[in-house]
Amino acid sequence: MITRRHFTAGAATLLAAGHISTRARAATTSWDMSTVWPDGNFHTQNAMAFAEEVKKQSGGAVAITVKAGGQLGFKGPEHLRAVRDGLVPLADVLNIQQVGDEPFMGVESIPFLCGSVDELKVLHKYVRPEYEKIAARNNQKILYIVPWPTQYLHLKTKVADVEGLKNIKIRVPDKNAVEMLNAIGMAAVMIPWGETIPALASGAVAGVSTSSVSGVDGKFWEFLKYVYPTNHVWSSQMVTVNLDSWKTLSADQQKLVADIAAKMEPGFWANSLKADVDSLNRLKEGGMEVVPVSDAMMAEIRAKTAPQLDAFLKRVPAADKPVRAYLAEMKRG
């Protein structure tokens, strides 16, 4: 027979257990991270490795689930706003695609500003503080930044000079690239990554300006034949977290996550370089031909796009000081 005393004691036990359970659940933070890149992409692999390390070192208290391939429904150009507005707690943000909201984010896509990943590291010394300010202004914090490797023109037709590029419809990821490739006579079209393969399949474009890694992601050998190592621009992915979500972590958890990001970032940069080598080999295995760009052709491309540096600095005054400091260090100022 259940007495009132037994019932009360049992109810108190259940309530206590429920309270403990609620506290345990509250102690675990679960975040989704949005990225448009597929599972096999090195940026996605980096994010998964980061999430695994955070889970391990936090004892499961901070759990990040990487949602690859755009499965959360956000396109690349929407990521800055999606994190800002709390629609997703974390995202892998492609900086050059955010210029509609934050023009400074296009600084890496100034043609030929950087000639190597080592030069890009120097540029980041000057521009990363500005990236951090932009993130804070958009209610988020940058956890880590990783560049895409060198850029290529992936084309259907073989060309030997700039004249051969004239009027070729080519997909580009951002507004600055539109201006650059239009300057050399191409017909550039800004298309998000998720719509690029359909554009190739339909014949809407006959080329793509992107990395070898994306070329493998898109199986470009099914549509295109030639790869031109022009190394004309750079861009970077920034993994950011919504500040309201960030503040739900304890100070110790924040330090742990930030320290993990800082420790892993150099390795992620190394992964970018390796991904370029591996991907270029895969494109060749798929049947694409890597066509050396002649010195004369590169000189003409550089000459036609050179005015974009001053045009960018005039359009985005905040970029003037860091870019000129970088150029001075490179002894190009």
Side-chain angles (χ1 to χ4, degrees):
M1 181 176 180
I2 300 176
T3 66
R4 179 180 179 85
R5 185 182 66 183
H6 288 149
F7 177 81
T8 303
T13 300
L14 287 171
L15 286 171
H19 181 60
I20 292 170
S21 175
T22 299
R23 283 190 301 173
R25 285 196 301 271
T28 300
T29 298
S30 296
W31 287 336
D32 284 342
M33 180 194 296
S34 178
T35 177
V36 299
W37 313 116
D39 285 338
N41 184 283
F42 80 95
H43 282 298
T44 304
Q45 292 295 310
N46 285 344
M48 289 177 173
F50 171 69
E52 183 60 31
E53 194 63 21
V54 168
K55 181 179 179 181
K56 177 183 174 183
Q57 292 198 35
S58 70
V62 183
I64 299 170
T65 302
V66 179
K67 299 289 188 177
Q71 62 182 283
L72 293 182
F74 301 109
K75 296 179 181 179
E78 299 169 341
H79 270 158
L80 187 72
R81 277 169 280 160
V83 177
R84 179 194 67 195
D85 297 340
L87 301 178
V88 63
L90 293 98
D92 198 9
V93 180
L94 177 55
N95 58 356
I96 60 171
Q97 288 189 327
Q98 317 310 315
V99 296
D101 294 319
E102 294 289 351
F104 185 95
M105 288 289 199
V107 66
E108 292 174 39
S109 64
I110 296 172
F112 304 105
L113 183 61
C114 297
S116 68
V117 72
D118 289 331
E119 291 186 7
L120 184 67
K121 287 178 181 178
V122 177
L123 178 66
H124 273 218
K125 180 172 73 173
Y126 295 104
V127 302
R128 183 155 181 163
E130 298 303 318
Y131 289 160
E132 300 280 2
K133 292 176 187 175
I134 290 169
R137 187 161 66 236
N138 284 272
N139 192 38
Q140 53 206 281
K141 172 183 174 62
I142 296 172
L143 295 177
Y144 64 80
I145 303 178
V146 184
W148 283 91
T150 184
Q151 296 289 294
Y152 301 84
L153 299 181
H154 306 256
L155 304 178
K156 186 175 290 187
T157 57
K158 194 169 187 176
V159 302
D161 50 31
V162 173
E163 182 63 25
L165 297 172
K166 192 173 182 179
N167 296 326
I168 292 177
K169 287 188 176 181
I170 186 166
R171 174 268 178 185
V172 297
D174 68 295
K175 185 174 180 292
N176 289 336
V178 170
E179 294 177 0
M180 177 196 169
L181 295 183
N182 283 351
I184 62 174
M186 302 187 82
V189 184
M190 190 165 63
I191 301 175
W193 175 250
E195 299 171 17
T196 297
I197 306 309
L200 282 171
S202 69
V205 295
V208 181
S209 171
T210 192
S211 68
S212 59
V213 177
S214 291
V216 172
D217 287 344
K219 298 181 180 179
F220 281 3
W221 53 83
E222 295 180 358
F223 312 99
L224 306 170
K225 296 295 183 184
Y226 305 100
V227 184
Y228 297 82
T230 47
N231 192 24
H232 47 286
V233 293
W234 293 83
S235 61
S236 298
Q237 295 289 149
M238 307 187 305
V239 169
T240 69
V241 57
N242 174 275
L243 282 179
D244 297 318
S245 297
W246 181 249
K247 290 170 185 175
T248 65
L249 301 184
S250 68
D252 287 345
Q253 288 174 329
Q254 289 179 357
K255 184 177 186 306
L256 178 71
V257 174
D259 286 351
I260 291 171
K263 185 176 180 180
M264 297 185 80
E265 184 174 309
F268 292 162
W269 279 60
N271 292 345
S272 176
L273 295 176
K274 184 178 185 302
D276 178 49
V277 174
D278 293 345
S279 297
L280 197 60
N281 287 333
R282 180 66 187 93
L283 291 177
K284 290 188 282 189
E285 289 169 4
M288 297 186 75
E289 178 185 346
V290 178
V291 183
V293 182
S294 70
D295 291 344
M297 184 174 175
M298 282 303 303
E300 188 173 354
I301 292 174
R302 285 176 174 271
K304 287 180 177 293
T305 59
Q308 286 190 251
L309 170 59
D310 287 338
F312 185 91
L313 298 182
K314 184 177 180 180
R315 186 169 69 249
V316 188
D320 189 85
K321 184 177 179 180
V323 169
R324 295 201 186 281
Y326 158 77
L327 291 173
E329 182 163 340
M330 292 291 100
K331 302 191 185 309
R332 289 162 49 197

